[in-house]
Structure formats: structure tokens, C-alpha cells
Amino acid sequence: MPKKDYYKVLGINKDSSQEEIKKAFRQLARKYHPDVNKDAGAEDKFKEINEAFQVLGNPEKKSQYDQFGTSAFSQEDLRGFRNQRFDFDELFRDFGFGDIFDIFNYGRRREDENYEEGVDLRYDLEITLEDSFYGIEKTIKVPIHEICKRCNGQGAEEKYLKECDKCGGNGKLKIARRQGFTQFVTITSCDKCHGRGKIVFKDCNVCKGKGKIEKIQKINLKIPRGVNDGQYLRLEGKGGLGKNAPSGDLYVVVHIKEHPVFNREDENLFLDKKIDLTTAIFGGKIEIKNIDKKINLKIPGGTQSHTSFRLKEQGMPLLNSKQRGDLFVRIIVEIPKLSKLKEKFFKKLFT
């Protein structure tokens, strides 16, 4: 059986905690899950990291692996680890964060007119790359509509709401028509009460007949370090208020502003650094201003323009983790504009 390094697969070390193992797995799963990544090889990669997590994410199996390697498990066990199924939403439920897919409901009703579940709301929050790196606390103001307490959402003053005499309070009308020996029945919404089953004779003084009033709620958010563009935070019960029913949820979708220096891909950062021709030819040290500190980078002599250097663990943090991605520095060699005298000198020097 070929040797498999599960720690290398997840990008962690043997001293990583169970929490760090879980976070490393979910970071990779977010990238390679077949539901979101349709590239060739993505599904095989997901199965590989899945197999690694099924072992390392279980303290007992991890102990067996550390002692005996993959020989501690049968081929059937390993196939089961690889093919363990995960719903995409489940991968991020513990974080409170996920990717913004089909997450909203729009006010579910029962047949009971006095029951209406609160709607889910969306709030788009823009932060900087630095905010994502360090984590940040924000206070947001979210407008919501709550059921008017005075009329309990009926939109009418007390005793000024009557049952519709046309539909008998059903809100629907049955229209029958006969064609030959066959009778057809059509059910339509009542045109007198507009499907409500009741008629308002005097609007509620508070909500002016709407049944709902607008309210601004202030919410304190704690955005964790490492959050990525497009991820969301679900706040249970902070959406629209229900009518004799649960309130909806609030989804805060994070958007990260474009940075003037860095480009980000998942947990990795990329930047371009210009150097002069002399440093490129003879080598030297240059200073890189990273997102959190200054770094001295040694440039070897003869470095070509567009050469990239990888600085390990100098990128963005993994979500809610002490681990970091890498920083990739692409060197751009600046070619000076020479005077005619210097141009002749260089021609003699290099020919």
C-alpha cells in the first residue's frame, strides 16, 4: 500500500489541534467541493482531503495513523473515508460562515391568516483587506418590518375589520361552468377582499393599514480574521419579525474592497515589487511592506524580471485560525532610460 502523508494533504503538522485540523479541511473543502468546483481533478482532490480528514479528524484514528500509517486501515475503510458525503452547507455550519447560495426564504404562510413566518434579510457589508486580516467589530443598522402590535397585522382599527360577505371569509371564489355533460370549477381569489377574507372599514392609526411598521435595529458584529469575499454570517432570528411565528434570519454578506497593492486568492497574497537593474544584475536585499510588517527579501544576482518568490506563512490567515497562507512577490525589473553616452558604454560592456 503506497504511503500517504495526510498531514501534507491538509497542509498541517502533527501538533495541530482538532480545531485546526477541522479548519484546514474546511478551507480546502470550500475550494475543491464538487458542488462549487467543476474543474477536472477537483473531485479527486476533494476525496483525497476527505480521506485525510476522516482519519486525522478522529482522535482514535489519528493515533492509529501516527503509529502505523495507512496500514492501520483496510482498503474498504479507506474507500469509505474518501467517499464520505458532505452537503456543502454542512461544511460551514459550525463557523456561521458560508458561501452565498440559495439561503433566503420570503415569508412562508400557513392557511391561517394570523400566521406568517418572518422573512430572511440580506445585508451587504464592505470591509478592507486589513479588516479581514486582523478581524473587526462593526455596528450595522438594518431596517426591518415588524408586525403592527396595535392591529396584530390586520391593518384595521378594532371592530372595523369585517368578514367578506362575498366569499364568506374564505378569500376564494368558486366559479362553476358547464360544458355539455361536464362541469368545470375554477377557484379564484376574491375580487372584493383581494384574497384576505376580510374587509377593512377603517385603517389602523399606527400602521396606516399596512399591518407592518418599519423599525431600525442596531446589531454588533464580530467579523473573524481570515473571512473571504462573498462569505456570509448568519444571525438567527435577526430578520423580519413573524406574525405569531418565528422571525427570519439576517445574512450579512462580506465584500472585501480591492486593495491597491495586494491581490488575494483564498489564503494567499500576491504583490508586484519593482527593483532597479543594478539589484537585478548583482543581487541585494530589498524591503517588502507586507500587510502586517516589513520583510527583507534577498534578491540573487541575475534575477530575471517577473521572477516570483514565495514567502511561506506570510499571507492571509485561515478563517479563525493561527495558520496563514503564503505571500508571493513578483519581481519587476525597471529598465532605465539611458543617455546616448551611457548607451554606448553598456553596448561596449555587454558585447
Side-chain angles (χ1 to χ4, degrees), residues 228-294:
N228 211 340
D229 188 80
Q231 290 185 314
Y232 67 82
L233 176 63
R234 174 177 174 260
L235 302 178
E236 188 174 357
K238 294 295 185 181
L241 298 185
K243 180 180 179 183
N244 299 318
S247 298
D249 300 330
L250 173 65
Y251 291 85
V252 180
V253 185
V254 177
H255 303 278
I256 299 177
K257 297 178 183 178
E258 184 177 345
H259 198 277
V261 176
F262 297 100
N263 288 319
R264 177 182 181 179
E265 291 183 12
D266 295 323
E267 70 275 14
N268 296 321
L269 290 176
F270 299 81
L271 67 82
D272 290 341
K273 179 66 177 179
K274 293 180 180 180
I275 64 172
D276 56 47
L277 185 60
T278 303
T279 304
I281 294 173
F282 299 106
K285 287 186 177 180
I286 62 172
E287 185 178 85
I288 303 294
K289 189 175 180 181
N290 199 8
I291 193 168
D292 61 333
K293 62 183 178 181
K294 295 179 180 179

Side-chain angles (χ1 to χ4, degrees), residues 50-80:
N50 197 10
E51 178 183 339
F53 174 68
Q54 293 302 317
V55 174
L56 300 184
N58 182 304
E60 184 179 345
K61 292 187 179 72
K62 180 177 183 295
S63 178
Q64 293 174 335
Y65 173 75
D66 289 342
Q67 193 170 5
F68 302 107
T70 52
S71 60
F73 313 104
S74 68
Q75 286 284 359
E76 186 177 349
D77 288 335
L78 295 176
R79 281 195 295 270

Side-chain angles (χ1 to χ4, degrees), residues 125-144:
L125 177 65
E126 191 174 56
I127 65 174
T128 65
L129 187 65
E130 287 79 7
D131 292 336
S132 172
F133 181 86
Y134 291 106
I136 190 173
E137 292 187 4
K138 288 273 191 180
T139 299
I140 62 174
K141 296 180 180 180
V142 181
I144 62 170

